[in-house]
Amino acid sequence: MKTLHYDLSYDQSHWICKGDDVQFRVADLNDLDMELRNYLVKKYQKGNFKIKMYFDFEHFPLWLRQYMAHYFNRELIYQL
């Protein structure tokens, strides 16, 4: 299984996911999941992938300050 790491942030209206060679900007986390899957299919075509997203506390929105940043870390597994 190939593991890929991304930074996750929020800019008042969109979730932003950045990797070494790609960036996604979406309004909804479900859209982000689909964009990541589509990217993996296009780049790798098949395989097993673990996606780890770590929230960037430097860009933590004020309305989320009541929560800890690590609550927004995400891990997804795709089998293509």
Side-chain angles (χ1 to χ4, degrees):
M1 180 173 296
K2 183 172 181 66
T3 301
L4 302 172
H5 298 270
Y6 295 94
D7 293 323
L8 183 64
S9 61
Y10 189 80
D11 75 352
Q12 306 305 321
S13 63
H14 289 85
W15 293 95
I16 301 165
C17 180
K18 294 180 186 177
D20 291 336
D21 59 347
V22 69
Q23 177 175 319
F24 306 99
R25 188 171 187 274
V26 296
D28 185 87
L29 287 175
N30 289 326
D31 293 337
L32 177 57
D33 297 349
M34 291 302 298
E35 290 286 330
L36 278 166
R37 186 184 188 292
N38 292 340
Y39 167 74
L40 293 173
V41 167
K42 187 186 299 183
K43 182 167 182 169
Y44 298 103
Q45 292 157 9
K46 62 181 180 176
N48 295 322
F49 301 90
K50 182 182 287 188
I51 307 299
K52 293 188 173 195
M53 291 178 256
Y54 299 100
F55 202 88
D56 177 8
F57 192 71
E58 295 295 320
H59 297 97
F60 203 59
L62 291 176
W63 60 273
L64 289 175
R65 297 283 166 125
Q66 63 186 332
Y67 305 105
M68 298 296 288
H70 67 268
Y71 291 167
F72 297 94
N73 292 344
R74 303 180 76 217
E75 185 173 295
L76 304 171
I77 295 176
Y78 292 99
Q79 298 175 333
L80 308 177

